[in-house]
Amino acid sequence: MKNKNNLLHNLSKTILLSIGKTKLNYQVHEPIISKSAETHLLRCIKSNYVSSVGEYLKKFENKLKDITGSKYVVLTNSGTAALFISLKQLEVEKCEVLTPSMTFAATSNAIVYNDAIPHYIDSMKSNPCIDVDKLALYLSEVCTMKKNFCYNKVSKRRIKALIVVHAFGYTAEMTKLIKLCNKYNIKILEDAAGALGSYYKNKHVGTFSDFGILSFNGNKIVTTGMGGAILMKRYKDYKVVKHLISTARLEHAYETEHDRVGYNLRMSNINAALGYSQLLSFKSTLKKKKILCEKYISNIQEIELCNFIIENNFSKQNNWVNNVIIKDKYINMRNDIFNYLHSKGIKCRAAWKPQHLLKMNLNYPKMKTDNCVKLWKSIISLPSSYI
Ligand SMILES: Cc1ncc(COP(=O)(O)O)c(C=O)c1O
């Protein structure tokens, strides 16, 4: 018992030492709102442009283009909306869309909103991103090609797309995934919701495929309150997506005309002003987050209970959320660890419950997903903001 208490005490001490705080209720990620936010928000309010037009929308969009290198960016009112519209443009209706089971519900939900079928795939053993070798083997068993389209042999449905989730800002293995998807003629949509500032082989994630999405929800590395963005390569996608999220309204000086059923999923100028103020100091945010990550790495090496998830050598991640994995021999202490840390004001969190285990998703197709179930039971997301 003493040993158990010592292990718990050492972990909590190490976390507090790394974040350099003893304040209570330390969340996994808190908004990083600088003084300049007030200036830009006030300027926005005074301009009277507080809705779907205004200078900050363009400013925020341009800054995102600089950071990501994306040719086209469309701002939305959430990451979920960005996923929904990207999948709509990929025309996945009635088809299967491969998605990691280890993701936030929004990824899987956006497939269902499009009247398509999520098909769950597994993560790596020690990282929540897709296990590409396992996926390659699975596709070779479950798929058949007809007229250059990929079909699920069992359900007979077309497998049209794969959502690659750059989970927690870690980068998925894009080179291998692109090669695999080219082989099966499967389109890729990158869910980089939490990965602004993460680069795979020096290229920003979310820009490897025709569509990538970002989220600016309150817990993200940059927040607009709520918000999202779609990163695109092609002008024709940009035009349609922009039109679709703006109620499909045609431009006219005084008439109100729409040419299809559109959606109102735009970001507001106020939200963009808040996001823009954070992008002005984004480089420094990334630096500070890297320092915190390095502190965790060096301190957690001494810890008996768990291992730190280290970035792959081909990627430069944003260090949005730092995670540890409880060692196998201590896995039965999982709830004790969470309860102890919470009692000390360290509001660490478990990883997402795998999507295939949620009751609304039980009947969707899936591969053997043992890695992601194990990760769910062993990942602890640590306090990761530096404020
Ligand atoms: C992997 C992933 N995808 C999508 C989303 C949805 O983003 P939003 O909350 O902005 O709708 C999130 C949000 O946390 C996420 O983590």
Side-chain angles (χ1 to χ4, degrees), residues 11 18 25 74 84 184 229 254 266 315 328 331 359 367 384 386:
L11 178 60
S18 305
N25 295 325
V74 167
F84 166 66
Y184 289 99
Y254 50 89
R266 292 163 291 179
S315 74
D328 284 354
I331 202 67
K359 68 176 180 187
M367 67 155 68
S384 296
Y386 56 80

Side-chain angles (χ1 to χ4, degrees), residues 325-339:
I325 299 187
I326 304 169
K327 290 181 190 165
D328 284 354
K329 62 177 171 176
Y330 296 115
I331 202 67
N332 58 355
M333 280 177 64
R334 177 186 190 261
N335 292 348
D336 294 327
I337 297 174
F338 278 107
N339 289 332

Side-chain angles (χ1 to χ4, degrees), residues 77-81 83 103-107 165-168 191-194 213-217 219-220 226-228 320 352:
N77 58 10
S78 71
T80 308
L83 282 168
T103 185
F104 183 58
T107 320
V165 181
H166 299 288
F168 300 109
D191 180 341
I213 74 98
L214 301 167
S215 162
F216 305 111
N217 188 36
N219 62 345
K220 297 298 184 296
M226 294 180 85
W320 167 45
W352 303 295

Side-chain angles (χ1 to χ4, degrees), residues 78-129:
S78 71
T80 308
L83 282 168
F84 166 66
I85 289 292
S86 302
L87 286 171
K88 184 155 279 305
Q89 184 62 0
L90 285 169
E91 298 180 331
V92 293
E93 196 180 325
K94 306 279 182 248
C95 297
E96 292 184 10
V97 177
L98 299 164
T99 174
S101 186
M102 173 54 67
T103 185
F104 183 58
T107 320
S108 178
N109 289 346
I111 301 171
V112 179
Y113 300 157
N114 274 283
D115 201 15
I117 296 93
H119 186 150
Y120 299 114
I121 59 177
D122 207 7
S123 307
M124 289 181 266
K125 278 200 166 75
S126 55
N127 181 305
C129 294

